[in-house]
Amino acid sequence: MISIGVSPSGPLNAFDLLLAFPLLAVVSVAFGYIGLLLIGIPVMALLIWAQRLDALRLCGYTTLLGMGLLGMGLWAAWAVHTALWPPALEDLLADLFVGGLCSFGVMAVFCALGKIPLRAQRML
């Protein structure tokens, strides 16, 4: 668990979660943009180059890359942090799921806001 010098005296209640929500939102948006720049934009550029850009392909490819890069990164960071090597397979599966879910969420919002079509139109 990440510590900032303050530890709760008991279990978190709804008020604590309400206070933590703005920080969580800011951190999520920041990491979402970093992922978009490092994974989403390069994949989108390749799909535009191949004339195959659509929301299904963009979300699918970025989800797979997010699972691989982000999920494996979280898994390795947790293994180093806890000094457990090799880490448990359950940790890997959970981190792959989190990485894929984060990547899919960011790209789904990007596709909706960018009005990227669900299926590609044939470009000549």
Side-chain angles (χ1 to χ4, degrees):
M1 181 168 154
I2 298 174
S3 175
I4 56 173
V6 178
S7 61
S9 59
L12 297 176
N13 58 27
F15 182 72
D16 294 334
L17 295 176
L18 184 64
L19 289 176
F21 182 73
L23 177 65
L24 179 64
V26 168
V27 170
S28 298
V29 168
F31 281 110
Y33 275 115
I34 291 170
L36 179 67
L37 290 174
L38 295 178
I39 296 174
I41 299 299
V43 170
M44 186 174 73
L46 286 172
L47 288 173
I48 289 172
W49 177 77
Q51 297 183 351
R52 299 280 191 236
L53 178 65
D54 63 24
L56 293 176
R57 285 188 178 106
L58 187 57
C59 287
Y61 293 148
T62 55
T63 298
L64 290 175
L65 279 173
M67 285 175 71
L69 298 175
L70 182 61
M72 293 298 284
L74 288 171
W75 184 57
W78 182 252
V80 168
H81 174 69
T82 59
L84 295 175
W85 198 261
L89 182 60
E90 296 83 26
D91 294 338
L92 172 63
L93 296 177
D95 290 341
L96 289 177
F97 179 74
V98 168
L101 191 62
C102 290
S103 294
F104 178 78
V106 168
M107 288 315 296
V109 170
F110 179 78
C111 289
L113 293 177
K115 297 181 181 166
I116 296 176
L118 194 58
R119 297 225 179 234
Q121 311 282 318
R122 186 73 175 146
M123 296 180 191
L124 297 176

